[in-house]
C-alpha cells in the first residue's frame, strides 16, 4: 500500500543563476502536483502507475513554462513489514520561460515552447539561453524571417528564477528575381527547373539554409553531366521596399569530362558487349561517377545470379591530360562457381521437413543465387506457420564451391478457439463457436469450423484447404455448409459441399 508521496524540489539547472541567491521554496504546492498524478495514498502500489506519474509531472511543468526540468525515477522506501511504502521524486527545475512577442504573427508562444523544448544530443552548449536563442532564430530564418532578433535575459522575481525572451520577427522575405551567370553547356531554363524555390506561381520564402541546399542540387546536376570541378556561388540582394530577395547564381562550369574507352579485364563468363549493357555506360557520354559506381554493383550482381558469389569488381579511372576524357577499366575477379549443398532444418518440432523443403525453389546441386535464397526464405515465412525464419550458410566465412545451408524456424501457435454471444430483439439470444487449425498433422493443411446458434437458426460451416494438391503448388478447397432456419409457417434446411 502507498502510504505517502513526496516531491523534493531543487532549482539548479540554470548555469547563469548564482548558487544560494534564491530562497528554497517549492514552486508548486503538493496539492497541485497530486492533482496531476494518478497514484493515490492508501491505494495499492503500482510501479507502472508511478512511471506514468513521472511523465504527467514533466508535462505539467512544461505547460507551466518550466521547459528545463529533470525528474528522477521514483524512490520507494518500504516499512519493515513491507506492507506500506513511501514514493519520492527528486525534481530539479530550471528557470521559468516568459516569452514576449513584438508584433509577431508566424509563431505563437505555444510554437516557441515546442522549438526550445526540443533537444539535440549532438549540441553541447554551456549557455542555456544561447541555445534557445539559436533554435528560435534558426526556425524563423527557415520560414523566411532573415532579420529575426531574439533578446534574452535571466532574472528573478522573489524566489523564482525566470528567463525572458523578447522576439521581434521583422518582415518576411520572399524570392524575387533569379539570375544565372556563367553557365554555357547547361541552359538557364534547365537549371531553373532544378530549383524548388522557382516552382509554383507564388513567390517562395527565402532562407539561407534553403538556398544552400539549392546550390548543392545544382552541383549534383553538373556532376551528373561530367563537370567534375564545377564551382557555384551566390550573391543576394535584399530589397526593403517589397521584401524581395534577388538572387544571382554564378557558375564556373570548368571542363566537361566524357567517357573514353571502356574495358573489362579478367572477364571470361560474359563478353564485353553484354557487360557494357549491364553497366549502362557508353563511350562519348558525360562521365557520371555515381553511375559508374552503380555499374560496378550491377556487374557484381549479375555474377552473383550466375553462382559466382565470390566475384569482385573494381574500377580504375584514367584521365587524359586535359581531362576532356576518362578511360574506364573494370577489373573482374570471377572466382569459382558455387552450388547449393544440403539444407538442414532446425526448429520445426511439429511441421514436417517435407512441407518446408517443398517450398524451396533452389534444390541441392542448383546454382547458388543469393537473391533466390532470400526469396526462398520469404516463401517459407509466407506459409504462415512460423514467427521467424532464418536461412543462412553453415560456413559463412569459408570460400566453398558447395554451400550447405541451415534453415531455422520458430513455430507459432497453429490453432485457437473463439466464443461469442449476443442478443437481438428479432432472434433473441445468439452465439457462435469458432475453431481453426492451420497446420493439420504438420502438413500445412488448414481447417476452419464455425457453429452459429440462435432461437431461429442453426448453422455449421466447415472449410478445409490443401495447399499442395497432387504434390503440386495448387490450392484445393472444400467447404461444407449445414443450415436450419425456422420461419413462422415452415422450416428451411440447407446442406451443401463446395469444392474449388
Amino acid at each position: 500500500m502507498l502510504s505517502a508521496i513526496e516531491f523534493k524540489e531543487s532549482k539548479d539547472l540554470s548555469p547563469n543563476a548564482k548558487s544560494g541567491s534564491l530562497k528554497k521554496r517549492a514552486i508548486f504546492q503538493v496539492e497541485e502536483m497530486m492533482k496531476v498524478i494518478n497514484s493515490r495514498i492508501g491505494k495499492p502500489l503500482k510501479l507502472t502507475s508511478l512511471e506514468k506519474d513521472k511523465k504527467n509531472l514533466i508535462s505539467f511543468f512544461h505547460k507551466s513554462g518550466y521547459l528545463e526540468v529533470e525528474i528522477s525515477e521514483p524512490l520507494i522506501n518500504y516499512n519493515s513489514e513491507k506492507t506500506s511504502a513511501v514514493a519520492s521524486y527528486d525534481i530539479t527545475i530550471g528557470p521559468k520561460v516568459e516569452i514576449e512577442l513584438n508584433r509577431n504573427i508566424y509563431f505563437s508562444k505555444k510554437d516557441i515552447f515546442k522549438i526550445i523544448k526540443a533537444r539535440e544530443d549532438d549540441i553541447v552548449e554551456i549557455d542555456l539561453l544561447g541555445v534557445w536563442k539559436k533554435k528560435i532564430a534558426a526556425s524563423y530564418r527557415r520560414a523566411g524571417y532573415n532579420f529575426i532578433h531574439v533578446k534574452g535575459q535571466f532574472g528573478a522575481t522573489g524566489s523564482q528564477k525566470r528567463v525572458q525572451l523578447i522576439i521581434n520577427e521583422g518582415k518576411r522575405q520572399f524570392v524575387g528575381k533569379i539570375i544565372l551567370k556563367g553557365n554555357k553547356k547547361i541552359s538557364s531554363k534547365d537549371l531553373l527547373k532544378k530549383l524548388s524555390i522557382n516552382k509554383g506561381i507564388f513567390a517562395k520564402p527565402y532562407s539561407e539554409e534553403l538556398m544552400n541546399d539549392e546550390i548543392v542540387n545544382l552541383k549534383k546536376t553538373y556532376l551528373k553531366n561530367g563537370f567534375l570541378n564545377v564551382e557555384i556561388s551566390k550573391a543576394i540582394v535584399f530589397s526593403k521596399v517589397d521584401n524581395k530577395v534577388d538572387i544571382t547564381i554564378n557558375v564556373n562550369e570548368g571542363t566537361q569530362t566524357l567517357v573514353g574507352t571502356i574495358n573489362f579485364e579478367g572477364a571470361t563468363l560474359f563478353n564485353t558487349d553484354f557487360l557494357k549493357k549491364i553497366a549502362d555506360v557508353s563511350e562519348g557520354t558525360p562521365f557520371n561517377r555515381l553511375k559508374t559506381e552503380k555499374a560496378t554493383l550491377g556487374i557484381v550482381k549479375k555474377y552473383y545470379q550466375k553462382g559466382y558469389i565470390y566475384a569482385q569488381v573494381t574500377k580504375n579511372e584514367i584521365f587524359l591530360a586535359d581531362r576532356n576524357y576518362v578511360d574506364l577499366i573494370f577489373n573482374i575477379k570471377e572466382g569459382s562457381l558455387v552450388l547449393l549443398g544440403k539444407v538442414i532444418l532446425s526448429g520445426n518440432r511439429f511441421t514436417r521437413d517435407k512441407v518446408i523443403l517443398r517450398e524451396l525453389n533452389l534444390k541441392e546441386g542448383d546454382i547458388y543465387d543469393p537473391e533466390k535464397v532470400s526469396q526462398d526464405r520469404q516463401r517459407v515465412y509466407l506459409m504462415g506457420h512460423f514467427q521467424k525464419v532464418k536461412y543462412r550458410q553453415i560456413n559463412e566465412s569459408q570460400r566453398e564451391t558447395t554451400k550447405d545451408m541451415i534453415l531455422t524456424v520458430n513455430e507459432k501457435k497453429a490453432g485457437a478457439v473463439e466464443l461469442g454471444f449476443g442478443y437481438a430483439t428479432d432472434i433473441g439470444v445468439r452465439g457462435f463457436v469458432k475453431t481453426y487449425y492451420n497446420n493439420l498433422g504438420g502438413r500445412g493443411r488448414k481447417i476452419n469450423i464455425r457453429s452459429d446458434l440462435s432461437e431461429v437458426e442453426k448453422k455449421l460451416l466447415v472449410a478445409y484447404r490443401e495447399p499442395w494438391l497432387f504434390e503440386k503448388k495448387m490450392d484445393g478447397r472444400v467447404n461444407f455448409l449445414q443450415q436450419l432456419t425456422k420461419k413462422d409457417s415452415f422450416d428451411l434446411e440447407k446442406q451443401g459441399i463446395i469444392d474449388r
Side-chain angles (χ1 to χ4, degrees):
M1 183 181 72
L2 194 59
S3 61
I5 301 177
E6 297 178 350
F7 305 98
K8 301 175 183 179
E9 291 184 20
S10 61
K11 316 179 192 71
D12 59 359
L13 276 180
S14 172
N16 291 31
K18 295 181 179 179
S19 178
S21 62
L22 301 172
K23 294 181 180 179
K24 295 217 170 183
R25 185 184 70 81
I27 293 176
F28 295 105
Q29 298 298 318
V30 174
E31 291 79 9
E32 294 178 271
M33 289 187 279
M34 286 297 294
K35 292 179 182 179
V36 177
I37 65 177
N38 296 320
S39 299
R40 291 291 177 262
I41 296 173
K43 298 293 182 179
L45 173 64
K46 295 182 179 180
L47 296 179
T48 55
S49 295
L50 293 176
E51 292 173 359
K52 291 180 181 178
D53 291 343
K54 176 184 173 180
K55 294 180 180 179
N56 291 340
L57 286 170
I58 292 175
S59 178
F60 170 69
F61 276 97
H62 285 171
K63 290 179 180 178
S64 302
Y66 296 93
L67 304 184
E68 296 294 316
V69 58
E70 294 179 0
I71 300 179
S72 68
E73 296 297 327
L75 179 63
I76 303 172
N77 292 316
Y78 294 92
N79 64 357
S80 57
E81 292 81 14
K82 291 192 175 182
T83 56
S84 65
V86 176
S88 61
Y89 295 91
D90 290 327
I91 304 175
T92 307
I93 306 168
K96 183 176 183 180
V97 179
E98 297 175 354
I99 298 175
E100 179 181 327
L101 302 177
N102 290 344
R103 301 176 64 182
N104 289 42
I105 59 173
Y106 193 77
F107 287 126
S108 65
K109 288 186 178 181
K110 184 178 180 181
D111 294 330
I112 299 297
F113 277 140
K114 289 181 179 179
I115 291 171
I116 62 180
K117 189 169 64 176
R119 296 183 179 181
E120 300 179 24
D121 295 335
D122 58 337
I123 295 179
V124 179
E125 292 279 357
I126 297 176
D127 184 3
L128 178 64
L129 184 56
V131 174
W132 288 348
K133 288 167 64 177
K134 288 180 180 179
K135 287 183 178 181
I136 294 170
S139 297
Y140 268 103
R141 290 193 183 101
R142 281 193 292 268
Y145 293 89
N146 296 279
F147 298 107
I148 174 69
H149 181 70
V150 183
K151 180 181 178 182
Q153 59 187 16
F154 283 95
T157 301
S159 62
Q160 181 177 292
K161 292 179 284 187
R162 62 182 176 84
V163 174
Q164 187 178 27
L165 291 170
I166 303 171
I167 303 172
N168 189 347
E169 66 184 17
K171 293 184 178 181
R172 198 178 192 187
Q173 288 75 47
F174 294 87
V175 175
K177 296 179 182 178
I178 303 176
I179 302 172
L180 284 154
K181 292 183 178 181
N183 55 304
K184 298 176 182 178
K185 294 288 187 179
I186 304 179
S187 69
S188 296
K189 181 180 179 181
D190 290 337
L191 290 176
L192 288 173
K193 288 180 180 179
K194 302 294 182 180
L195 302 178
S196 63
I197 59 174
N198 190 51
K199 295 178 181 178
I201 60 175
F202 300 106
K204 301 293 179 65
Y206 175 83
S207 75
E208 189 74 8
E209 182 179 323
L210 175 61
M211 195 60 224
N212 289 337
D213 290 340
E214 299 284 30
I215 297 296
V216 171
N217 289 333
L218 289 179
K219 286 184 177 180
K220 288 180 180 179
T221 299
Y222 270 98
L223 290 173
K224 289 179 181 178
N225 285 276
F227 296 90
L228 305 183
N229 298 313
V230 63
E231 295 178 355
I232 302 177
S233 61
K234 68 180 184 301
I236 57 175
V237 177
F238 289 93
S239 173
K240 295 182 179 180
V241 179
D242 56 4
N243 297 315
K244 293 290 181 67
V245 181
D246 293 335
I247 306 168
T248 300
I249 300 175
N250 299 298
V251 181
N252 182 2
E253 293 179 333
T255 302
Q256 185 181 30
T257 303
L258 304 179
V259 176
T261 61
I262 304 174
N263 292 298
F264 301 90
E265 297 184 357
T268 59
L269 184 64
F270 304 115
N271 60 41
T272 299
D273 290 338
F274 181 79
L275 289 173
K276 283 184 178 181
K277 184 178 179 180
I278 297 300
D280 193 25
V281 179
S282 304
E283 289 95 339
T285 59
F287 171 62
N288 183 343
R289 181 169 281 126
L290 180 61
K291 190 174 183 179
T292 59
E293 296 294 340
K294 291 182 179 179
T296 302
L297 297 177
I299 296 170
V300 170
K301 182 179 179 181
K302 186 57 65 175
Y303 270 97
Y304 282 5
Q305 291 173 348
K306 294 297 182 179
Y308 291 82
I309 63 174
Y310 305 121
Q312 296 178 351
V313 180
T314 57
K315 172 177 62 72
N316 292 333
E317 301 169 359
I318 302 175
F319 289 89
L320 301 185
D322 55 6
R323 297 185 72 85
N324 285 331
Y325 286 91
V326 58
D327 294 334
L328 300 177
I329 301 175
F330 293 89
N331 297 295
I332 301 173
K333 294 181 179 180
E334 294 180 330
S336 302
L337 175 65
V338 179
L339 303 179
L340 185 73
K342 296 179 180 179
V343 178
I344 300 173
L345 298 180
S346 174
N348 56 318
R349 298 180 179 180
F350 183 70
T351 307
R352 301 193 180 195
D353 289 358
K354 177 184 177 181
V355 173
I356 299 175
L357 292 174
R358 69 188 181 188
E359 295 292 334
L360 305 180
N361 283 330
L362 282 184
K363 308 297 182 182
E364 184 177 354
D366 287 346
I367 291 174
Y368 186 99
D369 181 349
E371 188 173 346
K372 290 183 179 179
V373 169
S374 178
Q375 292 172 356
D376 279 348
R377 188 205 69 83
Q378 185 69 5
R379 284 169 60 87
V380 173
Y381 178 77
L382 291 177
M383 292 172 66
H385 308 318
F386 312 112
Q387 292 178 332
K388 293 180 181 180
V389 178
K390 293 183 179 180
Y391 196 23
R392 62 178 181 82
Q393 303 169 12
I394 293 179
N395 298 316
E396 293 179 299
S397 60
Q398 296 182 17
R399 294 199 170 196
E400 302 168 316
T401 55
T402 300
K403 276 296 180 183
D404 294 331
M405 308 291 290
I406 181 167
L407 180 60
T408 305
V409 297
N410 184 0
E411 291 179 319
K412 63 183 179 181
K413 189 176 180 181
V417 178
E418 299 177 5
L419 302 172
F421 300 94
Y423 178 82
T425 55
D426 55 339
I427 62 174
V429 178
R430 60 181 178 179
F432 76 88
V433 178
K434 178 182 177 182
T435 182
Y436 66 88
Y437 202 86
N438 292 332
N439 196 7
L440 279 174
R443 298 176 182 271
R445 296 164 177 167
K446 298 182 180 181
I447 189 168
N448 190 328
I449 303 173
R450 176 173 175 135
S451 176
D452 292 82
L453 179 65
S454 69
E455 296 179 8
V456 299
E457 185 181 57
K458 296 179 182 179
K459 184 168 68 174
L460 175 66
L461 177 64
V462 180
Y464 174 80
R465 175 176 175 265
E466 171 63 62
W468 281 70
L469 194 62
F470 306 121
E471 297 299 320
K472 294 183 179 180
K473 183 69 173 177
M474 181 171 58
D475 252 2
R477 298 172 185 255
V478 177
N479 295 326
F480 170 76
L481 173 66
Q482 185 178 47
Q483 184 177 2
L484 175 63
T485 305
K486 295 182 179 180
K487 301 291 184 179
D488 292 337
S489 57
F490 64 91
D491 292 345
L492 178 64
E493 185 175 359
K494 294 181 181 179
Q495 286 186 351
I497 297 177
I498 304 173
D499 63 316
R500 58 188 179 90

